[in-house]
Amino acid sequence: MTEEQTTKETMSIPTDRPLKVAVLSFAHTHAIGYCRALAGRDDIELVAADPDGDAAPDEAPRGRELADALGVRYLDSYEEALAWGPDAVIVTAENVRHRPLVEAAAAAGAHILCEKPLATTVEDAEAMLAAAERAGVTLMTAYPVRFAPAFADLVRRVRAGRLGTLLAVKGTNNGKLPSDRAWFTDAALSGGGALVDHVVHCADLLDELLAEQPATVHAVSNRILHPEATVETGGLVTAVYDSGVIATIDCSWSVPDSASTWGGLTLQVIGTRGSVTIAPFAPHVAGQTVDGPVWEPTGDDLDAAMIAEFIDAVRSGRPARPDGAVGLRTLRVVDAARRSAASGQVVAPVG
């Protein structure tokens, strides 16, 4: 099976009934935003299941408590959610649980939006694409930054030749240590730390911008910022492409807990005729009140834009973008970064 085969058309779903959508797990905090984007819509019937939530060592609410707070109907198990007959599912479980949930959803005939990274291993991601292909369902990877107007404008400028020949790209994805969800720093559930959590967003933008995979990857990582953690909390990845472009990705959990926002992503693209820097999460209103610092985003809701793309693709029977093949390619970059950081050597992505 080739990656291109995952883009085939699927059956459209009639618009005269609500689309049935099941959110599988509240492990990832993005599930909250996705539920808010869907709850209360007349054209959506929404349920959620989070059977692993009660055992999670998190202070933040999960399970039925969180579903009630979001106004979402709650089901006790993934099996019950899939037996309900969803048209589509959103997989927001711990990274290691993505493969079994995607395979179960595909077997149930549901279209799938899966949180990033697509899986913890390249082998698992390949199996997930194969399951979606066999079932004839779409598999989309949750990369909301792809929907930022600033990125769309950057792509147009690059493809129009406004920056000349591209030479280098500098990406940053810095944030707070995700202490409200302990599984992020449990390698058995997440697959790794900052290299896993933060490289993929920049890798997705690079994948779309350059339309090529890196030839080699070199990465370094450490736990200097949060030495109590058992996974890497800081890292730097350098990717070299056959076209001659050199890209770096700063992927650290370096934002202090006292900061008014979780962090942000930037991308600087340098060419022979100029450079452009984008910061999709930068637009905001900030200040100070008696309750502490204020940071209110004023830009586009990228989660909502991504959800709209997924729902429209499911309704119309067309492939959703970015698809599972993008998730696989970006996971190959993460896999190479992990192998490089462990060995100290320059490595090539697998596949």
Side-chain angles (χ1 to χ4, degrees):
M1 182 190 74
T2 65
E3 291 175 11
E4 288 74 13
Q5 287 177 295
T6 65
T7 64
K8 70 179 183 181
E9 296 288 325
T10 60
M11 293 294 293
S12 61
I13 295 174
T15 58
D16 60 353
R17 67 166 177 84
L19 194 74
K20 299 174 69 174
V21 180
V23 174
L24 304 184
S25 183
F26 288 136
H28 204 295
T29 53
H30 285 173
I32 297 172
Y34 303 157
C35 284
R36 286 174 175 163
L38 293 169
R41 286 178 49 167
D42 292 337
D43 62 335
I44 300 293
E45 188 176 354
L46 184 65
V47 302
D50 186 29
D52 303 306
D54 290 339
D58 302 317
E59 294 183 3
R62 284 185 58 177
R64 187 178 296 276
E65 180 184 358
L66 181 52
D68 289 346
L70 294 169
V72 177
R73 178 186 168 196
Y74 187 75
L75 302 177
D76 291 322
S77 69
Y78 297 135
E79 292 78 12
E80 188 177 354
L82 294 175
W84 174 66
D87 301 301
V89 304
I90 302 176
V91 176
T92 38
E94 298 87 346
N95 298 340
V96 75
R97 295 187 170 120
H98 288 183
R99 176 179 175 176
L101 288 177
V102 165
E103 289 179 329
H111 300 285
I112 305 152
L113 170 62
C114 185
E115 188 55 63
K116 57 78 188 168
L118 194 60
T120 57
T121 68
V122 171
E123 179 184 13
D124 281 354
E126 290 172 339
M128 292 158 68
L129 265 69
E133 170 68 14
R134 286 193 303 270
V137 298
T138 193
L139 172 61
M140 180 181 181
T141 309
Y143 284 135
V145 187
R146 174 80 75 93
F147 298 89
F151 180 66
D153 180 67
L154 171 62
V155 171
R156 285 193 294 269
R157 291 173 183 271
V158 168
R159 291 180 181 169
R162 299 286 296 276
L163 301 185
T165 301
L166 296 190
L167 302 174
V169 182
K170 176 185 177 183
T172 68
N173 191 5
N174 303 138
K176 295 181 182 182
L177 182 77
S179 55
D180 60 334
R181 291 289 191 269
W183 69 267
F184 276 99
T185 55
D186 181 346
L189 295 174
S190 64
L195 282 175
V196 171
D197 188 37
H198 278 182
V199 167
V200 285
H201 278 301
C202 288
D204 170 55
L205 302 185
L206 288 164
D207 187 85
E208 175 69 8
L209 190 68
L210 303 178
E212 61 174 329
Q213 280 271 275
T216 61
V217 172
H218 181 251
V220 293
S221 65
N222 58 56
R223 293 186 293 114
I224 294 173
L225 296 172
H226 298 278
E228 73 281 5
T230 59
V231 293
E232 76 281 355
T233 59
L236 182 66
V237 178
T238 302
V240 178
Y241 295 79
D242 286 335
S243 62
V245 173
I246 299 174
T248 61
I249 302 173
D250 173 352
C251 53
S252 303
W253 287 330
S254 55
V255 175
D257 291 339
S258 58
S260 55
T261 184
W262 66 271
L265 181 150
T266 69
L267 200 71
Q268 181 182 27
V269 181
I270 302 166
T272 54
R273 297 180 59 189
S275 67
V276 171
T277 300
I278 64 169
F281 298 104
H284 69 282
V285 174
Q288 186 77 27
T289 72
V290 293
D291 298 319
V294 173
W295 178 290
E296 293 292 338
T298 59
D300 295 76
D301 187 335
L302 305 187
D303 282 352
M306 181 185 70
I307 291 293
E309 158 66 14
F310 178 58
I311 296 301
D312 183 74
V314 171
R315 278 284 192 197
S316 62
R318 64 174 176 81
R321 292 286 186 273
D323 62 11
V326 177
L328 173 58
R329 292 196 298 271
T330 51
L331 183 61
R332 286 172 176 154
V333 177
V334 172
D335 173 72
R338 287 185 298 184
R339 289 187 288 114
S340 176
S343 68
Q345 304 297 312
V346 175
V347 304
V350 174

